[in-house]
Amino acid sequence: MPDTPGWGPQGPRTGPGHDGPGHGTARYGAPPYGWGQQGPWGPPPPPPPKPGVIPLAPLGVDHVLGGAFATMRRYAKPLFGAALGVYALYAVVLGAALGIAYTVARDHYAALSADGAEFTWEHGKPVLVAFGAVWAAGLVGALAVNSFVQASVAATLQEAVLGRPTTFRAVTRRAWSRTPAVAAVTLPLALILLLPLALFALFFVAVFVTVLTDATAPLGLLFLLFLLVIPLSAWLYVLFAFAPAAAVLESAGPLTALRRSVHLVRGAWWRTFGISLLAGAMVMIVSLAYQLPMQFAAPEPPVVTPDTSASEVMLDQLRSQTGLYAVAALLGTLLTQLAAAVFLPLVTALLYVDRRIRKEDLAHTLAEAASRSAATDTDPLPV
């Protein structure tokens, strides 16, 4: 994969089926200028070129989802290899950090967990500081890891659209260079999602405080804020959803990527929301289709009697959760989560490509780049 600055923003072309000035908005499904232009007589128009996983024309829902599955199938090594590698590294580092934190605060933790022990700041503070530091570092690491995965997905799609081969090393190098910019735009997206969750948690905390004490809490106000924040968060999230793809495919800075996302989503918010929601529902259905049978196949918990000691109960529970069932459950969960981590950013990136085809006539530039790539593999990507 050649080192290129990516697909820079382009001005729209004028002509039928484009969003250029004075030409209105192209209807969904309209072919780009030059393809599908058919008069009342003559042979049917030629189909749009398809050098890679999608036709170079405005994409329907079937093209978006089909393109995502085709990319996952044809570019499985760079896609899943990069994601699996960075998640494995994150798990190892986080596990090591937890081990270090436990070693540092082991004596204080033992004092707090002893029979009849009461919580004191002398022992509690070191434990909270140690594991709190690991938790904070874990959040930062999760942001970096998810940003890298999104960058690797967009970098792979950049070649998949043109039908060009790529390698794990090339995708990793390209994704690593764009991870800081993707992380900078992913952070506000994460905060947008956390806002309604935080209000929801605050509402339930207020309910418990009201029930358990004589204090009063503004439950009605919190619930009203929660209802207002949900549509606001959804609107903002979809509005900025294309920013990670723009940060990679256009080599844009964080602010430029956010502005580009707003520009591209404008006029297609409901379509972007609907297809993204459909992709999320597909992931959820696949996950449930695996988890529900595993729940029914789970081994029965051990019988507990008044004479059973706590250590025996914990040992029996540990034995019941090991073996073939535990391996199958863990492996299935990891595979479904890995597929979701790749599939959802792929759908979003393909929607980004679709909007650029509709608003900026990216299809012609991509077609020219694909035709050049057929002659030589050293041509740079379109700028």
Side-chain angles (χ1 to χ4, degrees):
M1 184 172 64
D3 295 327
T4 74
W7 303 340
Q10 303 167 348
R13 300 192 184 201
T14 58
H18 293 284
D19 291 357
H23 290 271
T25 302
R27 69 185 187 278
Y28 291 128
Y33 184 62
W35 296 316
Q37 304 298 317
Q38 180 184 12
W41 302 280
K50 187 180 179 181
V53 295
I54 57 170
L56 301 184
L59 305 178
V61 179
D62 55 337
H63 296 132
V64 172
L65 299 178
F69 287 120
T71 305
M72 293 169 66
R73 184 177 65 255
R74 299 181 191 178
Y75 296 84
K77 288 184 178 180
L79 265 181
F80 293 106
L84 186 60
V86 72
Y87 281 132
L89 178 62
Y90 175 69
V92 170
V93 172
L94 187 61
L98 287 172
I100 294 173
Y102 176 75
T103 302
V104 170
R106 178 173 51 191
D107 295 337
H108 300 282
Y109 179 79
L112 291 174
S113 58
D115 293 338
E118 296 182 357
F119 179 84
T120 61
W121 277 111
E122 179 183 359
H123 297 296
K125 184 177 180 180
V127 174
L128 293 176
V129 170
F131 287 97
V134 174
W135 176 77
L139 289 181
V140 176
L143 174 64
V145 166
N146 290 327
S147 300
F148 176 84
V149 172
Q150 291 192 70
S152 66
V153 167
T156 304
L157 184 66
Q158 191 170 19
E159 301 302 316
V161 168
L162 299 178
R164 302 198 300 202
T166 188
T167 62
F168 170 82
R169 182 178 180 181
V171 168
T172 302
R173 184 172 63 248
R174 172 67 173 161
W176 180 252
S177 66
R178 299 309 303 162
T179 295
V182 175
V185 299
T186 301
L187 181 59
L189 289 174
L191 294 177
I192 289 172
L193 289 179
L194 286 176
L195 184 57
L197 295 178
L199 283 175
F200 186 73
L202 184 60
F203 173 77
F204 273 93
V205 169
V207 170
F208 280 112
V209 170
T210 303
V211 171
L212 298 178
T213 66
D214 294 333
T216 58
L219 299 179
L221 178 60
L222 289 175
F223 186 70
L224 180 61
L225 286 176
F226 174 70
L227 293 180
L228 292 176
V229 163
I230 288 179
L232 177 62
S233 297
W235 177 70
L236 290 174
Y237 187 85
V238 174
L239 200 63
F240 297 131
F242 293 161
V248 178
L249 298 178
E250 300 180 20
S251 296
L255 293 179
T256 302
L258 291 171
R259 286 195 295 265
R260 288 285 294 154
S261 179
V262 172
H263 169 71
L264 292 172
V265 172
R266 186 178 295 124
W269 189 95
W270 283 107
R271 185 174 190 268
T272 305
F273 172 75
I275 298 178
S276 301
L277 188 63
L278 175 62
M282 292 172 61
V283 169
M284 184 178 299
I285 291 172
V286 171
S287 179
L288 289 176
Y290 182 83
Q291 292 179 5
L292 288 179
M294 294 302 297
Q295 291 294 330
F296 288 108
E300 295 183 0
V303 179
V304 179
T305 64
D307 298 330
T308 306
S309 63
S311 60
E312 291 178 349
V313 172
M314 293 181 62
L315 184 59
D316 289 339
Q317 289 180 345
L318 181 62
R319 287 172 180 169
S320 67
Q321 296 300 320
T322 56
L324 182 60
Y325 166 78
V327 172
L330 179 61
L331 183 61
T333 301
L334 291 177
L335 290 178
T336 53
Q337 293 299 319
L338 182 64
V342 170
F343 178 70
L344 294 178
L346 263 178
V347 171
T348 303
L350 284 167
L351 288 172
Y352 158 88
V353 174
D354 171 63
R355 288 304 297 161
R356 292 215 37 198
I357 289 175
R358 295 176 187 274
K359 297 195 73 170
E360 300 173 354
D361 200 18
L362 183 66
H364 283 268
T365 307
L366 293 178
E368 293 170 359
S371 63
R372 290 196 304 267
S373 296
T376 174
D377 291 332
T378 60
D379 285 351
L381 289 176
V383 179

